Amino acid sequence: MVQSSVLGFPRIGPFRELKKTTEAYWSGKATVEELFKVGKELREKNWKLQKEAGVDIIPSNDFSFYDHVLDHSLLFNVIPERYSKYELAPIDTFFAMGRGLQRAATDSAPAVDVPATEMVKWFDSNYHYVRPTFSKNVQFKLNGTKPIDEFLEAKALGIHTRPVLVGPVSYLFLGKADKDNLDLEPITLLDQLLPVYAELLAKLKEAGADSVQIDEPVLVLDLPTEVQAAYKKAYEFLVSETAPKLFLTSYFGDVRPNIESIKGLPVAGFHADFVRVPEQLDAVVGALSSTQILSVGIVNGRNIWKANLSKAIEFVKTAIEKVGAERVVVATSSSLLHTPVTLANEKKISAEIKDWFAFATEKVTEVVVIAKAVTDGVDSVADILAANTASIAARESSSITNDPAVRERVSKITEEMTHRKSPFAARLAAQKAHLDIPAFPTTTIGSFPQTKDIRIVRNKFTKGEISAEEYEKFIEKEIASVVKFQEEVGLDVLVHGEPERNDMVQYFGEKFNGYVFTSNGWVQSYGSRYVRPPIIVGDVSRPGPITVKESKYAQSITKKPMKGMLTGPVTCLRWSFPRDDISNKIQAQQLALALLDEVQDLEAAGVYVIQVDEPAIREGLPLRAGAERDDYVKWAVESFRLATSGVEDKTQIHSHFCYSDLDPNHIKALDADVVSIEFSKKDDPNYIQEFSEYPNHIGLGLFDIHSPRVPPKEEFVARINEILKVYPKENLWINPDCGLKTRGWTETRAALQNMVDAAKEFRAKYA
């Protein structure tokens, strides 16, 4: 019998139950008991859903209140001293590391002021993890029993689960040295960490776990020799009679360059992502012993398209031919964390298009169907396969997916269209003559706080409870208020605040042809920040102006430069669920042409500073160096330049990047006049050095917008001084890390005022 397996399930709840309770806890409106109760209810629902669907191997410990990697840091006592010194409750230490904490002293507790630890993208996904931060004196120990508790919780429900852990090599490699220990290579801590893993595994076995899924996703990266060698040491240590069987799990890419690292390991089995790289089957099979299990990741954990069940079944049959049915498990390619919970709650998508999709719940069923088909024969699921085949064929032939006019326009793209009229020096001279911008110019990244009032009015408009005219008047009032606020604080280049926007990608997708949208298709981006990625179902075009009216109005009520705010083509692509029937390159070009029209309309309307954000450009970078990566960089850069090059020299093009390990050469290739980059949680001074020779202007973000903490002016001054040691003062802009949408107005005013006051100090110093 071929078993079915799910590597992880969305933790957020079908209606964002986790977000609502977590934010209520942060604001003091819910107790810790209420928070834990909701977590327990969500875990129970997820386990029962998978059990009832017929999944054989159900995961536990895939739940987290914020981030599963951060769970491991708390579990293994990887807690920097700046957090542990406050002696907070474990859950509050956990949240402080994830989002920072600033709290005034009370009669019973001292004041707390601590920033969040660094947050970066999880491989090439839009999920963010909290990067483990190690010091030389870290004392690894079991600091809790979360994986055991959740295994026993499921066991009490009559559901036997397989606990999920991040493996020790990946955990260390994905971490970083703390700011006072920058010469530390985290992988050198492996010998100290392994006994704690072994202790945890022994406790899981004592609790009744017979196997553990141990995720080693860094196997798909370019690994240094010492990290490759660490696998043999780690798993020869961890595999023992006191531990459950270990199933080594990789996903998101190709393990072949590291295949020697897994060959001969004494683990019970290995999982590979055959959705992303089906060509690696022979190499993976060749690395297995005659008894090791092959987990075939064949249902896509990263997209929402219905699996082609016939093709998936044939692939699994091929695997069976190579190793035997008793050694094959049918699985999701990765955790389903990256997909919405269920299609059942989508009532507004047309039946035709909805039939093309499979969310997490539906993907669970797909895994079970494939396993049944290869165990009992395809006749046992004949009706399901017939319906699936019809659905796949209907999508391929649908007129919804094809727009000849868009395809013709893409075919006429030329090299000339991807270059500005003049080099940067000439553009800068034209911009200085046209725009009145001082030294150390201050600005924000785009959004301002989205208050409850804004969300209520937008919801009323969406439901048809207020007219378009009433809604537009409300939006104009909000824009006027934000503009006035920025002038009072003293910012130099303003934004309109984006009160009309629900999300930086969804908003544009709603205005483009070729997209559809969900009502409850939420996916966790980080912590309590969830997004509803739009879905690209057809060729993309812009039927008319999208942002011009709001930006033109905002510019009309101030004498200061106003930024038009757009989301770039690669980010629109990466933060949507893209099509899988045409290349990402073609989709990015279609989006770039649509945005080019918008950029030119903004300029024609008198908006001469235009920001085209590309925070996802690094996220899309193939995980390994080579021809595929080089090709991606080429078309991603060209797509951005296609969208932004059709303006006059006097128009200043900005772009923004955040929460990724950026390559300055890629940023330079975009040829934006000004770039703003998330920087506030970067501890390594070499990071500034990497951008020291960046020829255009740059703003290194000075405060963390994911935290409610307000940095004092002195902290801004110190940070700017640090930057000026290596970066020319003439080229430096002053800005936050990212948009302020999730912050409150009180903390926003305080932080921006401190930032502006710091900039004025430097302006006076160098006058």
Side-chain angles (χ1 to χ4, degrees), residues 337-351:
L337 169 70
H338 312 283
T339 59
V341 177
T342 179
L343 264 176
N345 298 326
E346 301 304 324
K347 310 298 183 185
K348 296 181 179 179
I349 302 174
S350 73

Side-chain angles (χ1 to χ4, degrees), residues 702-715:
L702 296 176
F703 71 93
D704 177 20
I705 60 83
H706 294 109
S707 171
R709 178 178 177 271
V710 176
K713 174 189 170 184
E714 294 74 20
E715 190 173 312

Side-chain angles (χ1 to χ4, degrees), residues 41 64 86 205 208 252 382 391 602 653 709:
E41 290 170 350
S64 178
Y86 290 111
K205 186 169 184 177
F252 300 161
S391 177
L602 281 168
I653 297 294
R709 178 178 177 271

Side-chain angles (χ1 to χ4, degrees), residues 189-426:
L189 300 171
L190 182 64
D191 287 342
Q192 299 174 49
L193 178 59
L194 287 176
V196 185
Y197 264 90
E199 181 185 356
L200 174 60
L201 291 170
K203 290 181 180 293
L204 282 167
K205 186 169 184 177
E206 290 172 7
D210 51 30
S211 65
V212 169
Q213 174 185 317
I214 194 153
D215 288 1
E216 289 286 5
V218 303
L219 281 166
V220 302
L221 302 180
D222 291 319
L223 296 180
T225 303
E226 63 271 20
V227 177
Q228 292 177 325
Y231 279 97
K232 179 178 174 63
K233 174 187 287 188
Y235 289 94
E236 287 185 349
F237 185 94
L238 294 178
V239 175
S240 70
E241 292 183 359
T242 62
K245 294 178 181 178
L246 302 185
F247 286 84
L248 204 64
T249 303
S250 74
Y251 36 79
F252 300 161
D254 192 347
V255 301
R256 285 176 293 182
N258 294 314
I259 202 73
E260 293 300 320
S261 297
I262 65 172
K263 201 175 280 186
L265 295 184
V267 295
F270 184 75
H271 171 91
D273 183 343
F274 296 110
V275 172
R276 292 287 284 268
V277 191
E279 301 84 6
Q280 64 184 323
L281 178 61
D282 285 340
V284 172
V285 168
L288 300 178
S289 73
S290 61
T291 59
Q292 285 175 319
I293 300 296
L294 173 63
S295 176
V296 181
I298 198 60
V299 171
N300 197 336
R302 290 280 298 274
N303 213 322
I304 47 70
W305 300 106
K306 181 175 289 186
N308 185 320
L309 293 179
S310 294
K311 287 185 177 180
I313 289 166
E314 288 307 309
F315 189 92
V316 175
K317 284 181 177 179
T318 300
I320 290 172
E321 290 172 1
K322 294 178 183 295
V323 301
E326 71 283 355
R327 291 176 52 206
V328 169
V329 172
V330 174
T332 54
S333 64
S334 66
S335 169
L336 297 174
L337 169 70
H338 312 283
T339 59
V341 177
T342 179
L343 264 176
N345 298 326
E346 301 304 324
K347 310 298 183 185
K348 296 181 179 179
I349 302 174
S350 73
E352 177 187 3
I353 294 175
K354 186 176 176 180
D355 188 55
W356 302 343
F357 301 152
F359 291 177
T361 300
E362 293 72 37
K363 288 176 183 291
V364 166
T365 300
E366 289 182 337
V367 169
V368 173
V369 168
I370 295 167
K372 183 175 178 57
V374 296
T375 298
D376 299 334
V378 292
D379 288 346
S380 66
V381 290
D383 291 345
I384 296 173
L385 291 183
N388 179 263
T389 299
S391 177
I392 299 294
R395 179 185 167 209
E396 289 176 351
S397 61
S398 174
S399 60
I400 295 171
T401 63
N402 301 295
D403 185 332
V406 173
R407 306 235 170 163
E408 181 180 4
R409 191 179 181 194
V410 168
S411 72
K412 294 180 178 179
I413 294 172
T414 65
E415 172 72 14
E416 184 181 4
M417 294 169 67
T418 64
H419 294 280
R420 295 287 295 271
K421 290 183 172 67
S422 304
F424 173 69

Side-chain angles (χ1 to χ4, degrees), residues 9-11 41-50:
F9 198 81
R11 58 186 67 133
E41 290 170 350
L42 289 172
R43 291 191 294 271
E44 179 176 341
K45 288 178 181 177
N46 289 349
W47 290 325
K48 287 183 174 178
L49 181 153
Q50 293 171 79

Side-chain angles (χ1 to χ4, degrees), residues 430-437 561 608-609 650-652:
Q431 291 158 17
K432 284 183 175 179
H434 184 64
L435 303 168
D436 184 19
I437 298 176
Y608 298 110
V609 182
K650 68 180 180 180
T651 297
Q652 192 172 74

Side-chain angles (χ1 to χ4, degrees), residues 88 92 98 115 174 198 368 386 494 594 618 742 745 754:
L88 301 169
D92 294 327
L174 293 171
V368 173
L494 312 188
R618 170 62 178 82
T742 61
W745 272 108
N754 290 345

